[in-house]
Amino acid sequence: MSIISDRPATLSGPGLIDPGLIDAEWVDGPGGYTGVEPTAEWAEEVRRLARARNATLLAHNYELPAIQDVADHVGDSLALSRIAAEVDSDEIVFCGVHFMAETAKILSPNKRVLIPDARAGCSLADSITADELREWKAEFPDAVVVSYVNTTAAVKGLTDICCTSSNAVEVVASIDPDKDVLFLPDQFLGAHVKRKTGRDNIHIWAGECHVHAGINGDELTEQAESHPDADLFIHPECGCATSALYLAGEGFVPAEKVKILSTGGMIDAARETKAKQVLVATEIGMLHQLRKAAPGIDFQPVNGRASCPYMKMITPAALLRALREGKDEVFVPEDVAAKARRSVERMIAIGNPGSGE
C-alpha cells in the first residue's frame, strides 16, 4: 500500500479552501484511491485545479453522483469523446473506463487525455483482443467487421465500422445484404441487431458486460409483475432484453411500455414518458441523471446490485490525484489511432450515431 500526496506547487494556493483538503492524502488500495470525501470544498478545489490546468472534466453516466455533479459534461462515451474533440482545452480528464479515454484520445489526438485511474478497465472491452479478432477475420476474410464503441483502440483499428447501441441496427442495415458481418463484442446487442435486421449472415462474438449480463429475465419479470403500471427502460446490453420483448409479445406488459434504449436514449425517454414510475435495467449510476432529467418520476433499478466496480474506481480521491499530479495519461500509438479513427468516422458518415452506448 502506498500513500500519495505530492502535487505541483503551482496548483496550490493558501486560503482558497479548507487546509485539510489541501494537505489531503489518499490511499492507493486494491479497489482504487480512497481517503477523500466529496465535500463542497473538494468540488471547489477540483474545479480550481481544472481551471489551472485548462482542463475539461468529462464524466460518464455510470460514475458516482459526486463525480457526475462536478464534471463539465456528463453523458455516454461517444458523446463525451466528441465533446473532447470540440472543446478548447489543453487537457481532457475523462471520468470513465479506459476504452472511453482511449476513444477521446483517438478523436482529439492533439489534446492531453487523463483518466483518474488507468486500472479502470471494462469486462466487455476485454472480452475480445486484437489477436482474437485477427483470427476471427481470417475465418471470414470477406466479412465486414462491426465493432461496438465499447472496445479497445487496437480492436477499433481492425474494425471496418464502429457502432453504438443506438445506431447498431442502422449500421448493420447499411451493409450489403450479401456480405457476412462479424459483430462484436456484445452478444446481447448482437442478438438485438440480428432480431431487428433479420440477417442470417451476421456472426456474433460471445462477449458481455458482466454488470449488464447480470440483470436477468427473472428479475425483470418479477419487477414488472409487482409494478404493472411502470415503464421499462432496458439497455440492449442487458441479459434481460430478450425477456422484455417476450413479456411485451405475450401481452404480460403493454408493448408501448417496453423501451430498448441506449443511455442517452433513456434521458430523452425520461423527459417524454407519462408514467409515474420507470423500472431501469442498466448500471445504477444512470439513475442519478434520470432523476435529474425528470425529478417527478420514480426511477427504480431492476437490479439494485448492478454497479460496475471499474466505473466506481473513479473516486473523489482519484480525480483529485489526477488534477494535482497530471495522472494517468492515456496514450494511443498514432498508427493504431489513425485506423481506429477511420472506423469511428465511417459510423458517423452512415448516419447520426445517436447518443452513444
Side-chain angles (χ1 to χ4, degrees), residues 66-124:
I67 299 294
Q68 294 186 39
D69 289 344
V70 80
D72 297 306
H73 302 277
V74 180
D76 54 65
S77 65
L78 183 63
L80 293 175
S81 293
R82 296 177 75 185
I83 289 170
E86 295 167 0
V87 295
D88 184 20
S89 302
D90 295 325
E91 291 185 350
I92 300 298
V93 181
F94 206 121
C95 299
V97 294
H98 196 267
F99 83 80
M100 298 179 181
E102 278 189 333
T103 307
K105 183 66 175 178
I106 288 165
L107 293 180
S108 49
N110 296 323
K111 293 187 176 78
R112 190 167 185 243
V113 176
L114 305 177
I115 181 170
D117 194 329
R119 298 166 298 185
C122 172
S123 60
L124 179 55

Side-chain angles (χ1 to χ4, degrees), residues 146-204:
V146 178
S147 292
Y148 194 18
V149 291
N150 296 35
T151 47
T152 65
V155 167
K156 287 185 179 74
L158 295 170
T159 294
D160 294 304
I161 312 172
C162 280
C163 72
T164 69
S165 62
S166 59
N167 76 348
V169 172
E170 182 182 9
V171 167
V172 172
S174 75
I175 298 168
D176 184 338
D178 294 327
K179 283 277 192 181
D180 281 328
V181 173
L182 303 184
F183 189 93
L184 62 105
D186 190 80
Q187 60 183 310
F188 299 112
L189 179 58
H192 173 67
V193 171
K194 184 173 184 177
R195 187 166 51 240
K196 285 289 191 178
T197 61
R199 291 182 79 119
D200 294 326
N201 57 351
I202 181 171
H203 309 277
I204 301 168

